[in-house]
Amino acid sequence: MQSQFTEKKAAVGILAGGGPLPGKVAEAVFAMGRPVFIVGFQDFAEPEIIEQWPHEYIRLAAAGRILSALREHHCEDIVLIGPVKRPSWRDLRPDAEGAKILARIGKALFAGDDGLLAALVRVFDEEGFKVRGAHEFLDPVTEGVYGKIQPDTQALQDIAKGIEVNQALGRLDIGQGCIVQNGLVIAVEAMEGTDSMVKRAKDCQQPGLGAILVKQVKPDQERRADMPTIGPRTVVGACESGLRGIAFEAGGTLIVQQEEVIRLADENGIFLLSYHPENFKQKYLK
């Protein structure tokens, strides 16, 4: 796809890591009548996802080329979306502009994800771009049960426990999720990500009712990057590990292939519940 609109119309630049979400955002932007340009991070962006759109592959630390490419394609708004593994200092190999930007980021480069993402957003703002969250273009996740399976009382109690755990972990910038079974926390998410945590939980479960995956945004998290995401792979992994439910924050979660997610959950007897952390107990545990 070489040309969509006139050059003068402001485009949305998508800085793309892995997974299908960069393509979903591009489709949503295009449906709004705006042109799209994708910077695909080398070794992370998936060709089958981004190559149907105007794009360029650029090294993660080649900030000068990234900024130039965004300006050449008349991007005003940008979206950071898709997982990227944080490289080691040895592997960064920044270009000249990248070295300057790393200096501007400073200590945040070595801090947790929240600090680094907030610093990156600040730098793009200073460079004249408006950083948008993917949730501003994709359909929001509303509160309630998705699918046919309803959580029981024990599941709701486990979710309440998971919310408290996630809030504590989030304040320490550790992760966005945990797995709870009958009041026992059997796994928490760190830098390995949700899929690996779910797989690890298979060997940690106790006899009886299956465990619950609980995901939510960290307190004070920069919501314009790294929002919690679930998709078909999440449901398949939950099923393989013997989980019986997935709970996720309303308005703070992205769902990839929502219809497929619901279909898989219904077929495997897994409930999907979207909640608001601030009023969960009042609403569900009266």
Side-chain angles (χ1 to χ4, degrees):
M1 185 179 297
Q2 296 298 317
S3 178
Q4 300 161 298
F5 301 89
T6 63
E7 282 195 336
K8 292 183 179 180
K9 190 164 186 179
V12 175
I14 300 174
L15 276 60
L21 277 174
K24 296 296 183 183
V25 174
E27 291 171 2
V29 171
F30 185 76
M32 294 176 180
R34 297 188 63 181
V36 172
F37 173 70
I38 299 180
V39 171
F41 291 127
Q42 283 183 3
D43 302 322
F44 297 103
E46 299 178 15
E48 64 272 20
I49 300 296
I50 74 168
E51 289 188 353
Q52 60 181 304
W53 307 98
H55 69 279
E56 182 176 338
Y57 291 105
I58 304 177
R59 287 189 299 107
L60 188 62
R65 182 58 211 149
I66 291 171
L67 294 173
S68 295
L70 292 171
R71 290 174 177 135
E72 288 166 9
H73 289 82
H74 310 284
C75 298
E76 294 183 357
D77 297 334
I78 61 172
V79 180
L80 289 74
I81 188 68
V84 174
K85 184 179 180 181
R86 188 190 297 221
S88 67
W89 179 260
R90 181 185 305 171
D91 295 333
L92 274 175
R93 296 182 296 116
D95 60 12
E97 187 64 28
K100 294 178 183 178
I101 288 177
L102 290 178
R104 289 161 64 185
I105 291 174
K107 293 181 180 180
L109 181 65
F110 306 100
D113 288 342
D114 285 359
L116 177 58
L117 290 171
L120 287 172
V121 169
R122 185 188 72 246
V123 166
F124 279 112
D125 283 342
E126 292 171 353
E127 291 293 331
F129 300 98
K130 180 66 176 179
V131 181
R132 303 286 187 184
H135 60 287
E136 297 180 50
F137 299 97
L138 302 176
D139 292 334
V141 173
T142 57
E143 184 180 20
V145 174
Y146 286 64
K148 301 175 182 178
I149 313 301
Q150 297 285 331
D152 58 26
T153 300
Q154 180 61 56
L156 295 172
Q157 292 173 348
D158 285 347
I159 294 168
K161 176 80 170 185
I163 291 171
E164 294 178 356
V165 171
N166 285 338
Q167 289 172 336
L169 292 172
R171 291 189 190 99
L172 297 173
D173 196 12
I174 293 174
Q176 298 175 323
C178 65
I179 297 177
V180 183
Q181 183 186 28
N182 298 327
L184 179 66
V185 180
I186 64 172
V188 296
E189 180 183 350
M191 67 179 299
E192 84 275 26
T194 301
D195 292 340
S196 295
M197 174 184 64
V198 169
K199 185 175 182 179
R200 174 163 48 88
K202 182 177 182 179
D203 297 326
C204 301
Q205 288 197 75
Q206 307 296 307
L209 295 172
I212 314 298
L213 167 62
V214 187
K215 285 184 67 70
Q216 69 197 55
V217 180
K218 301 173 189 175
D220 303 319
Q221 178 177 326
E222 174 54 72
R223 289 182 177 240
R224 289 175 287 179
D226 194 33
M227 287 187 64
T229 304
I230 65 171
R233 188 167 62 183
T234 314
V235 179
V236 170
C239 180
E240 291 175 347
S241 291
L243 306 189
R244 67 190 187 104
I246 301 172
F248 44 93
E249 183 175 346
T253 308
L254 302 175
I255 301 182
V256 183
Q257 297 176 252
Q258 180 172 303
E259 291 184 1
E260 179 68 3
V261 165
I262 294 172
R263 183 188 70 80
L264 287 169
D266 285 346
E267 286 184 357
N268 290 282
I270 293 174
F271 71 78
L272 302 169
L273 175 65
S274 180
Y275 62 87
H276 289 298
E278 62 274 10
N279 66 359
F280 182 85
K281 287 186 177 180
Q282 295 90 328
K283 181 166 184 176
Y284 292 103
L285 296 178
K286 295 178 180 180

